[in-house]
Amino acid sequence: MKNLREIFKNKYDLLHEPEVEQLLDYCEQLQDEIVEFKFEKDKNKELAMLDMIREVIKGCNAIEKEQNEHERFGYDPPNYQETISNLKRYILVRCKEERIWL
C-alpha cells in the first residue's frame, strides 16, 4: 500500500489544503479499518479451528465410550475405520468452508 504522503511528493503545498487533509485523514481511517477487518477475519479462522478441534475431541470421546461399552457389556465393537473416515471428512469439509488450507 502506498504511503499517502508520497502521492503528493511533487505537490507538497497541496498537503496543507483543508480538503486534502480531510481526504488523508479519511484514507488513514480506512486503512485502520482494513487492518482491523483482516485481524477479525483471521480471528474467525481461529474460532473455526477451535470449533473443529472440539468436534473432533467430541467424536473421539464418543468412540472411547463405545469401546468401554463393548468391553463392559459386550455391545458391538466400534467401527474405527468409519469413525476415522467421518472425522477426516468433517475436517476437510470445514476447512474448505472456512478457507483454511492445511
Side-chain angles (χ1 to χ4, degrees), residues 11-12 39 42-43 46 48 58 60-61 74 80-81 84 90 92 94:
K11 299 284 185 177
Y12 191 73
F39 177 75
D42 291 340
K43 191 174 181 183
E46 180 180 322
K58 192 187 313 180
C60 292
N61 289 339
Y80 293 107
Q81 187 62 39
I84 291 169
Y90 168 76
L92 293 174
R94 277 296 300 269

PDB file of all heavy atoms in Angstrom, residues 11-12 39 42-43 46 48 58 60-61 74 80-81 84 90 92 94:
ATOM      1  N   LYS A  11       3.810  17.775  -5.203  1.00  0.00           N
ATOM      2  CA  LYS A  11       2.925  18.918  -4.925  1.00  0.00           C
ATOM      3  C   LYS A  11       2.748  19.039  -3.419  1.00  0.00           C
ATOM      4  O   LYS A  11       1.641  18.982  -2.892  1.00  0.00           O
ATOM      5  CB  LYS A  11       1.560  18.692  -5.595  1.00  0.00           C
ATOM      6  CG  LYS A  11       1.599  18.567  -7.084  1.00  0.00           C
ATOM      7  CD  LYS A  11       1.778  19.929  -7.710  1.00  0.00           C
ATOM      8  CE  LYS A  11       1.678  19.792  -9.230  1.00  0.00           C
ATOM      9  NZ  LYS A  11       1.774  21.045  -9.894  1.00  0.00           N
ATOM     10  N   TYR A  12       3.821  19.209  -2.734  1.00  0.00           N
ATOM     11  CA  TYR A  12       3.809  19.228  -1.277  1.00  0.00           C
ATOM     12  C   TYR A  12       2.895  20.329  -0.720  1.00  0.00           C
ATOM     13  O   TYR A  12       2.284  20.159   0.331  1.00  0.00           O
ATOM     14  CB  TYR A  12       5.244  19.404  -0.755  1.00  0.00           C
ATOM     15  CG  TYR A  12       5.367  19.165   0.710  1.00  0.00           C
ATOM     16  CD1 TYR A  12       5.297  17.871   1.211  1.00  0.00           C
ATOM     17  CD2 TYR A  12       5.540  20.219   1.598  1.00  0.00           C
ATOM     18  CE1 TYR A  12       5.403  17.636   2.568  1.00  0.00           C
ATOM     19  CE2 TYR A  12       5.649  19.982   2.949  1.00  0.00           C
ATOM     20  CZ  TYR A  12       5.571  18.698   3.432  1.00  0.00           C
ATOM     21  OH  TYR A  12       5.671  18.465   4.770  1.00  0.00           O
ATOM     22  N   PHE A  39      -7.693  -8.603  10.734  1.00  0.00           N
ATOM     23  CA  PHE A  39      -7.493  -9.245  12.038  1.00  0.00           C
ATOM     24  C   PHE A  39      -8.724 -10.053  12.429  1.00  0.00           C
ATOM     25  O   PHE A  39      -8.614 -11.203  12.852  1.00  0.00           O
ATOM     26  CB  PHE A  39      -7.190  -8.196  13.102  1.00  0.00           C
ATOM     27  CG  PHE A  39      -7.048  -8.776  14.469  1.00  0.00           C
ATOM     28  CD1 PHE A  39      -5.913  -9.470  14.831  1.00  0.00           C
ATOM     29  CD2 PHE A  39      -8.071  -8.648  15.393  1.00  0.00           C
ATOM     30  CE1 PHE A  39      -5.781 -10.014  16.097  1.00  0.00           C
ATOM     31  CE2 PHE A  39      -7.958  -9.194  16.649  1.00  0.00           C
ATOM     32  CZ  PHE A  39      -6.812  -9.880  17.004  1.00  0.00           C
ATOM     33  N   ASP A  42      -8.933 -13.215  10.382  1.00  0.00           N
ATOM     34  CA  ASP A  42      -8.011 -14.228  10.885  1.00  0.00           C
ATOM     35  C   ASP A  42      -8.523 -14.823  12.188  1.00  0.00           C
ATOM     36  O   ASP A  42      -8.390 -16.008  12.428  1.00  0.00           O
ATOM     37  CB  ASP A  42      -6.616 -13.630  11.096  1.00  0.00           C
ATOM     38  CG  ASP A  42      -5.933 -13.285   9.786  1.00  0.00           C
ATOM     39  OD1 ASP A  42      -6.335 -13.829   8.738  1.00  0.00           O
ATOM     40  OD2 ASP A  42      -4.999 -12.458   9.813  1.00  0.00           O
ATOM     41  N   LYS A  43      -9.082 -13.959  13.020  1.00  0.00           N
ATOM     42  CA  LYS A  43      -9.596 -14.415  14.300  1.00  0.00           C
ATOM     43  C   LYS A  43     -10.742 -15.394  14.083  1.00  0.00           C
ATOM     44  O   LYS A  43     -10.865 -16.371  14.799  1.00  0.00           O
ATOM     45  CB  LYS A  43     -10.054 -13.210  15.123  1.00  0.00           C
ATOM     46  CG  LYS A  43     -10.362 -13.523  16.551  1.00  0.00           C
ATOM     47  CD  LYS A  43     -10.663 -12.253  17.313  1.00  0.00           C
ATOM     48  CE  LYS A  43     -10.962 -12.562  18.756  1.00  0.00           C
ATOM     49  NZ  LYS A  43     -11.314 -11.368  19.491  1.00  0.00           N
ATOM     50  N   GLU A  46      -9.461 -18.715  13.489  1.00  0.00           N
ATOM     51  CA  GLU A  46      -9.020 -19.327  14.731  1.00  0.00           C
ATOM     52  C   GLU A  46     -10.213 -19.940  15.464  1.00  0.00           C
ATOM     53  O   GLU A  46     -10.131 -21.057  15.973  1.00  0.00           O
ATOM     54  CB  GLU A  46      -8.345 -18.277  15.615  1.00  0.00           C
ATOM     55  CG  GLU A  46      -7.844 -18.814  16.931  1.00  0.00           C
ATOM     56  CD  GLU A  46      -7.188 -17.745  17.762  1.00  0.00           C
ATOM     57  OE1 GLU A  46      -6.489 -16.882  17.196  1.00  0.00           O
ATOM     58  OE2 GLU A  46      -7.382 -17.777  18.982  1.00  0.00           O
ATOM     59  N   ALA A  48     -12.966 -20.984  14.100  1.00  0.00           N
ATOM     60  CA  ALA A  48     -13.386 -22.154  13.328  1.00  0.00           C
ATOM     61  C   ALA A  48     -12.504 -23.355  13.650  1.00  0.00           C
ATOM     62  O   ALA A  48     -13.000 -24.482  13.789  1.00  0.00           O
ATOM     63  CB  ALA A  48     -13.357 -21.840  11.839  1.00  0.00           C
ATOM     64  N   LYS A  58     -14.939 -34.417  20.665  1.00  0.00           N
ATOM     65  CA  LYS A  58     -16.238 -34.993  20.985  1.00  0.00           C
ATOM     66  C   LYS A  58     -16.395 -36.348  20.284  1.00  0.00           C
ATOM     67  O   LYS A  58     -16.874 -37.317  20.879  1.00  0.00           O
ATOM     68  CB  LYS A  58     -17.352 -34.051  20.555  1.00  0.00           C
ATOM     69  CG  LYS A  58     -18.707 -34.429  21.104  1.00  0.00           C
ATOM     70  CD  LYS A  58     -19.861 -33.608  20.557  1.00  0.00           C
ATOM     71  CE  LYS A  58     -19.655 -32.136  20.542  1.00  0.00           C
ATOM     72  NZ  LYS A  58     -20.820 -31.398  20.008  1.00  0.00           N
ATOM     73  N   CYS A  60     -13.942 -38.352  19.332  1.00  0.00           N
ATOM     74  CA  CYS A  60     -13.022 -39.297  19.987  1.00  0.00           C
ATOM     75  C   CYS A  60     -13.607 -39.798  21.304  1.00  0.00           C
ATOM     76  O   CYS A  60     -13.504 -40.994  21.620  1.00  0.00           O
ATOM     77  CB  CYS A  60     -11.670 -38.635  20.230  1.00  0.00           C
ATOM     78  SG  CYS A  60     -10.759 -38.295  18.716  1.00  0.00           S
ATOM     79  N   ASN A  61     -14.220 -38.902  22.064  1.00  0.00           N
ATOM     80  CA  ASN A  61     -14.849 -39.309  23.326  1.00  0.00           C
ATOM     81  C   ASN A  61     -15.981 -40.302  23.079  1.00  0.00           C
ATOM     82  O   ASN A  61     -16.157 -41.271  23.835  1.00  0.00           O
ATOM     83  CB  ASN A  61     -15.372 -38.091  24.089  1.00  0.00           C
ATOM     84  CG  ASN A  61     -14.256 -37.247  24.662  1.00  0.00           C
ATOM     85  OD1 ASN A  61     -13.130 -37.720  24.838  1.00  0.00           O
ATOM     86  ND2 ASN A  61     -14.546 -35.993  24.945  1.00  0.00           N
ATOM     87  N   GLY A  74     -20.414 -56.014  26.370  1.00  0.00           N
ATOM     88  CA  GLY A  74     -20.406 -56.911  25.228  1.00  0.00           C
ATOM     89  C   GLY A  74     -21.167 -56.383  24.020  1.00  0.00           C
ATOM     90  O   GLY A  74     -21.557 -57.146  23.146  1.00  0.00           O
ATOM     91  N   TYR A  80     -13.948 -48.374  13.957  1.00  0.00           N
ATOM     92  CA  TYR A  80     -12.903 -47.349  13.970  1.00  0.00           C
ATOM     93  C   TYR A  80     -12.654 -46.764  12.580  1.00  0.00           C
ATOM     94  O   TYR A  80     -12.458 -45.563  12.442  1.00  0.00           O
ATOM     95  CB  TYR A  80     -11.593 -47.920  14.529  1.00  0.00           C
ATOM     96  CG  TYR A  80     -11.684 -48.279  15.976  1.00  0.00           C
ATOM     97  CD1 TYR A  80     -11.743 -49.609  16.380  1.00  0.00           C
ATOM     98  CD2 TYR A  80     -11.714 -47.291  16.948  1.00  0.00           C
ATOM     99  CE1 TYR A  80     -11.830 -49.943  17.718  1.00  0.00           C
ATOM    100  CE2 TYR A  80     -11.799 -47.616  18.297  1.00  0.00           C
ATOM    101  CZ  TYR A  80     -11.867 -48.949  18.670  1.00  0.00           C
ATOM    102  OH  TYR A  80     -11.959 -49.265  19.992  1.00  0.00           O
ATOM    103  N   GLN A  81     -12.670 -47.616  11.573  1.00  0.00           N
ATOM    104  CA  GLN A  81     -12.394 -47.139  10.214  1.00  0.00           C
ATOM    105  C   GLN A  81     -13.435 -46.120   9.782  1.00  0.00           C
ATOM    106  O   GLN A  81     -13.103 -45.069   9.223  1.00  0.00           O
ATOM    107  CB  GLN A  81     -12.361 -48.320   9.229  1.00  0.00           C
ATOM    108  CG  GLN A  81     -11.914 -47.914   7.847  1.00  0.00           C
ATOM    109  CD  GLN A  81     -10.495 -47.357   7.840  1.00  0.00           C
ATOM    110  OE1 GLN A  81      -9.624 -47.842   8.545  1.00  0.00           O
ATOM    111  NE2 GLN A  81     -10.263 -46.334   7.061  1.00  0.00           N
ATOM    112  N   ILE A  84     -12.905 -42.817  11.767  1.00  0.00           N
ATOM    113  CA  ILE A  84     -11.755 -42.064  11.257  1.00  0.00           C
ATOM    114  C   ILE A  84     -12.112 -41.385   9.942  1.00  0.00           C
ATOM    115  O   ILE A  84     -11.802 -40.205   9.730  1.00  0.00           O
ATOM    116  CB  ILE A  84     -10.530 -42.985  11.105  1.00  0.00           C
ATOM    117  CG1 ILE A  84     -10.018 -43.415  12.477  1.00  0.00           C
ATOM    118  CG2 ILE A  84      -9.425 -42.291  10.303  1.00  0.00           C
ATOM    119  CD1 ILE A  84      -8.994 -44.526  12.445  1.00  0.00           C
ATOM    120  N   TYR A  90     -15.145 -34.603   7.916  1.00  0.00           N
ATOM    121  CA  TYR A  90     -15.626 -33.420   8.628  1.00  0.00           C
ATOM    122  C   TYR A  90     -14.570 -32.307   8.616  1.00  0.00           C
ATOM    123  O   TYR A  90     -14.867 -31.155   8.303  1.00  0.00           O
ATOM    124  CB  TYR A  90     -15.998 -33.782  10.067  1.00  0.00           C
ATOM    125  CG  TYR A  90     -16.232 -32.586  10.937  1.00  0.00           C
ATOM    126  CD1 TYR A  90     -17.413 -31.840  10.827  1.00  0.00           C
ATOM    127  CD2 TYR A  90     -15.279 -32.172  11.864  1.00  0.00           C
ATOM    128  CE1 TYR A  90     -17.625 -30.723  11.615  1.00  0.00           C
ATOM    129  CE2 TYR A  90     -15.494 -31.065  12.649  1.00  0.00           C
ATOM    130  CZ  TYR A  90     -16.662 -30.346  12.528  1.00  0.00           C
ATOM    131  OH  TYR A  90     -16.858 -29.240  13.304  1.00  0.00           O
ATOM    132  N   LEU A  92     -11.994 -31.891   6.558  1.00  0.00           N
ATOM    133  CA  LEU A  92     -11.755 -31.383   5.202  1.00  0.00           C
ATOM    134  C   LEU A  92     -12.883 -30.481   4.713  1.00  0.00           C
ATOM    135  O   LEU A  92     -12.632 -29.439   4.095  1.00  0.00           O
ATOM    136  CB  LEU A  92     -11.531 -32.547   4.237  1.00  0.00           C
ATOM    137  CG  LEU A  92     -10.249 -33.360   4.478  1.00  0.00           C
ATOM    138  CD1 LEU A  92     -10.207 -34.573   3.560  1.00  0.00           C
ATOM    139  CD2 LEU A  92      -9.022 -32.498   4.305  1.00  0.00           C
ATOM    140  N   ARG A  94     -15.022 -28.719   6.651  1.00  0.00           N
ATOM    141  CA  ARG A  94     -14.982 -27.469   7.417  1.00  0.00           C
ATOM    142  C   ARG A  94     -13.840 -26.571   6.953  1.00  0.00           C
ATOM    143  O   ARG A  94     -13.997 -25.353   6.848  1.00  0.00           O
ATOM    144  CB  ARG A  94     -14.803 -27.746   8.912  1.00  0.00           C
ATOM    145  CG  ARG A  94     -16.028 -28.064   9.687  1.00  0.00           C
ATOM    146  CD  ARG A  94     -17.048 -26.937   9.766  1.00  0.00           C
ATOM    147  NE  ARG A  94     -16.631 -25.707  10.371  1.00  0.00           N
ATOM    148  CZ  ARG A  94     -16.744 -25.391  11.640  1.00  0.00           C
ATOM    149  NH1 ARG A  94     -17.240 -26.252  12.492  1.00  0.00           N
ATOM    150  NH2 ARG A  94     -16.344 -24.208  12.077  1.00  0.00           N
TER     151      ARG A  94
END
